[in-house]
Amino acid sequence: MAILKELTDRGARHREVRRVLDEVDLGDVRGKRIKKLSGGMRQRVALAAALVGDPGFLVLDEPTVGLDPEQRMRFRELIARAGEGRTVLLSTHQTEDVAMLCHRVVVMAGGRIRFDGTPAELTAVAAGRVWNSAERDPGAKAGWRTGTGSFRNVGNPPAGADLTDPTLEDGYLLTLDDAGVEVAAA
């Protein structure tokens, strides 16, 4: 990747590769073949490749997909560090990553911007539109059984519904639904 980014001086190229591998905590596996690395390590190799040349703008597409919770946490730390002093565009459906990493959110659907604001503003889209019930509400836009056995419903609540605090994901689902994008309910 360093050669593709026109780092032609061999010494400078090797120093840059060492720098980015150290930045993503892979300096100790520098000599290993990529196919021998775990999925999380491969994701970090991809991030290192993107960091070669110290770009001011970084585009990351679904960087935490397929990672276990520990790997996701470590990768979030790396993304947060990479965002210091540069702009990072994070393209993802992982609302947890957005909530933890982003100060601005743009939701796109059908090639159009459906929302542009802060994570708190996207969460606020769902204020008063999320409720718990003993059964899935047939009028809900989306609903699922939670770990406690109750159902979390998102949409337009019935009178007297047991409202609960919305999440970023709830705001995302409602933004898509309000835009006419089909939202699957389980």
Side-chain angles (χ1 to χ4, degrees), residues 8-144:
T8 56
D9 178 81
R10 182 180 171 98
R13 184 172 62 243
H14 285 263
R15 282 189 300 279
E16 178 65 358
V17 169
R18 280 192 295 277
R19 180 190 72 79
V20 296
L21 287 175
D22 288 341
E23 191 171 336
V24 299
D25 300 325
L26 287 176
D28 58 334
V29 295
R30 181 180 346 256
K32 281 194 174 183
R33 293 195 176 274
I34 292 174
K35 68 181 180 180
K36 299 284 187 184
L37 300 177
S38 70
M41 288 179 161
R42 289 179 190 190
Q43 291 287 73
R44 288 188 277 156
V45 168
L47 179 58
L51 291 170
V52 168
D54 200 23
F57 183 68
L58 194 58
V59 178
L60 302 176
D61 185 22
E62 301 283 358
T64 63
V65 168
L67 301 182
D68 67 35
E70 182 182 350
Q71 291 172 329
R72 288 181 74 185
M73 178 197 67
R74 291 183 70 208
F75 208 80
R76 286 182 191 137
E77 290 174 352
L78 294 172
I79 295 169
R81 276 199 317 246
E84 295 171 6
R86 71 173 51 90
T87 300
V88 177
L89 174 67
L90 179 66
S91 173
T92 186
H93 292 91
Q94 304 291 331
T95 56
E96 248 181 67
D97 292 343
V98 173
M100 297 203 179
L101 291 168
C102 302
H103 66 272
R104 180 174 173 211
V105 181
V106 177
V107 176
M108 293 186 69
R112 300 183 65 136
I113 294 174
R114 306 301 181 170
F115 175 87
D116 183 353
T118 67
E121 290 167 339
L122 182 55
T123 301
V125 166
R129 298 177 71 188
V130 182
W131 69 101
N132 292 319
S133 61
E135 297 178 358
R136 185 188 184 289
D137 190 313
K141 304 290 183 182
W144 56 91

